[in-house]
Amino acid sequence: MLHRQRRFLTAGDIQHELNGVDAKVALSTIYRTLEHLKSRGDIATRIDDAGEAAYIYCEPDHHHHHAICRKCGRVDDVDCTTMEQFAHSVLASSGFALDGHDMEFTGTCATCR
Amino acid sequence: MLHRQRRFLTAGDIQHELNGVDAKVALSTIYRTLEHLKSRGDIATRIDDAGEAAYIYCEPDHHHHHAICRKCGRVDDVDCTTMEQFAHSVLASSGFALDGHDMEFTGTCATCR
DNA sequence: ATATTTGCAAATAATTTGCACGTAA
DNA sequence: TTACGTGCAAATTATTTGCAAATAT
């Protein structure tokens, strides 16, 4: 199911998606499955505006970033190769030895415009 | 106290900083003060690796990003003007109308190298 | 039969809130 | 006095865990 979704879902969202109105899958099962998927490197996590963890099926090992539509929540993957080099050069002057970065974009996707 | 610190502190960290070993300021007071500071636009928040909220005194309205040293935790501010234009052009081709972004860098600061 | 997964309920832990008390204007 | 900030304890909420029943190998 996660594989079909192109947006971030909380544990509760996932439960609703799986079960409709009446819950059939326990939250504990969902959390355990999410942990399993994370250890396999199959999902990315973020904290939403309410402070709740949200999950999306993707390949975090293939380093990339996410553009999240404010209207429909759909997530587009954004390649970061060039961005990474750029960030390096920007920070080089400050003496900060960069070894990682994390970016997230928000806006309106092509469909919602 | 926050103004003097150049790193992200959790509510618990703040309590320890203020009181040393024996606590004199209640956590509820700290949370309420943090909320107050946030509404004034005086602090930025992030979620640390343990999933706990961490706070730093800065001016989020003056849009910028943070470079966090992996060794000492010190935070350097990173201007984003050029980065922003760059992100715009990268995303323009995907049809995604960018209206915001969030970036965080990690590495080793000039002092710790 | 044996190992693994599940649901349920209880435990955890960060954060929030109610309330009585102290402090300041 | 009157409004406001504080501490404490209880409530809230997402997440984790123990355990017994269910399912799969």
Side-chain angles (χ1 to χ4, degrees):
Chain A
M1 185 277 284
L2 278 181
H3 195 265
R4 266 183 278 113
Q5 299 278 344
R6 294 185 176 182
R7 60 198 175 98
F8 280 95
L9 299 171
T10 66
D13 291 338
I14 294 171
Q15 193 179 47
H16 281 92
E17 278 296 325
L18 288 176
N19 302 325
V21 179
D22 356 65
K24 292 175 187 169
V25 178
L27 274 173
S28 54
T29 302
I30 292 171
Y31 279 112
R32 279 185 284 229
T33 305
L34 286 170
E35 188 178 2
H36 180 236
L37 288 174
K38 180 177 263 179
S39 74
R40 286 186 27 150
D42 283 338
I43 53 172
T45 305
R46 73 180 291 264
I47 306 297
D48 68 18
D49 298 332
E52 203 170 337
Y55 309 86
I56 195 171
Y57 197 97
C58 69
E59 299 177 44
D61 291 343
H62 175 300
H63 194 46
H64 65 277
H65 302 289
H66 293 128
I68 305 171
C69 179
R70 288 195 192 278
K71 289 188 182 172
C72 70
R74 189 172 66 188
V75 173
D76 285 353
D77 283 353
V78 179
D79 185 78
C80 73
T81 317
T82 323
M83 189 82 71
E84 208 162 14
Q85 296 171 346
F86 188 75
H88 260 289
S89 68
V90 166
L91 287 169
S93 56
S94 70
F96 195 99
L98 186 72
D99 69 10
H101 65 270
D102 211 8
M103 306 186 197
E104 188 173 282
F105 306 97
T106 50
T108 312
C109 73
T111 306
C112 286
R113 273 200 294 160
Chain B
M1 186 277 283
L2 278 183
H3 195 265
R4 268 183 278 111
Q5 299 277 343
R6 293 184 177 182
R7 59 197 175 99
F8 279 96
L9 298 171
T10 66
D13 291 338
I14 293 171
Q15 192 179 45
H16 281 94
E17 279 295 325
L18 288 177
N19 302 326
V21 180
D22 356 65
K24 291 175 187 168
V25 178
L27 274 173
S28 54
T29 303
I30 293 172
Y31 279 113
R32 278 184 284 230
T33 306
L34 286 170
E35 187 179 4
H36 181 236
L37 289 174
K38 179 177 266 182
S39 74
R40 286 188 26 151
D42 283 338
I43 52 172
T45 306
R46 73 180 289 266
I47 307 297
D48 67 17
D49 297 331
E52 205 170 336
Y55 309 86
I56 195 170
Y57 196 97
C58 69
E59 299 176 44
D61 290 343
H62 175 301
H63 193 47
H64 64 278
H65 303 288
H66 294 127
I68 306 171
C69 179
R70 289 195 191 278
K71 288 188 182 172
C72 71
R74 188 171 69 188
V75 173
D76 285 355
D77 284 353
V78 179
D79 185 77
C80 74
T81 317
T82 323
M83 190 80 71
E84 208 162 13
Q85 297 171 345
F86 188 75
H88 260 290
S89 66
V90 166
L91 287 170
S93 54
S94 70
F96 195 100
L98 186 74
D99 70 10
H101 65 271
D102 211 7
M103 307 187 198
E104 190 172 280
F105 306 97
T106 50
T108 312
C109 73
T111 306
C112 287
R113 273 201 294 160

